[in-house]
Amino acid sequence: MVRVIAGIGAPAVFIVVWALFAAGGGKNARYPLTGPWRALLEITWFGGAAVLIGLACTAVAGIVFFALWAINGALRLLWHQG
């Protein structure tokens, strides 16, 4: 029962948090985060996802996911896209 609740509840919480604070690059969020708060949210969000992918699949898959996110973040900063 705990797995079912966690399997449904955790994604729902993540959806709500992302919608409130980060949707649409912050443009569509009700309470958009900027600067270090946005960075902290993204590191927590995508770092957590990388850890979970690493646990569910392989460590390499988690590392690849995190590396792709980091490259994406660096390019967004380089191209002044937030």
Side-chain angles (χ1 to χ4, degrees):
M1 188 57 130
V2 171
R3 288 182 183 182
V4 172
I5 293 170
I8 295 170
V13 169
F14 280 95
I15 290 167
V16 169
V17 168
W18 192 260
L20 287 174
F21 300 108
K27 295 176 189 131
N28 297 328
R30 181 170 301 277
Y31 309 103
L33 296 177
T34 58
W37 292 109
R38 173 68 186 220
L40 180 63
L41 174 66
E42 285 196 23
I43 291 168
T44 303
W45 187 270
F46 293 105
V51 168
L52 294 175
I53 289 170
L55 292 173
C57 300
T58 66
V60 172
I63 292 167
V64 167
F65 178 83
F66 193 78
L68 290 172
W69 168 77
I71 291 167
N72 179 11
L75 290 174
R76 285 190 347 226
L77 289 174
L78 181 68
W79 295 332
H80 305 289
Q81 294 181 347

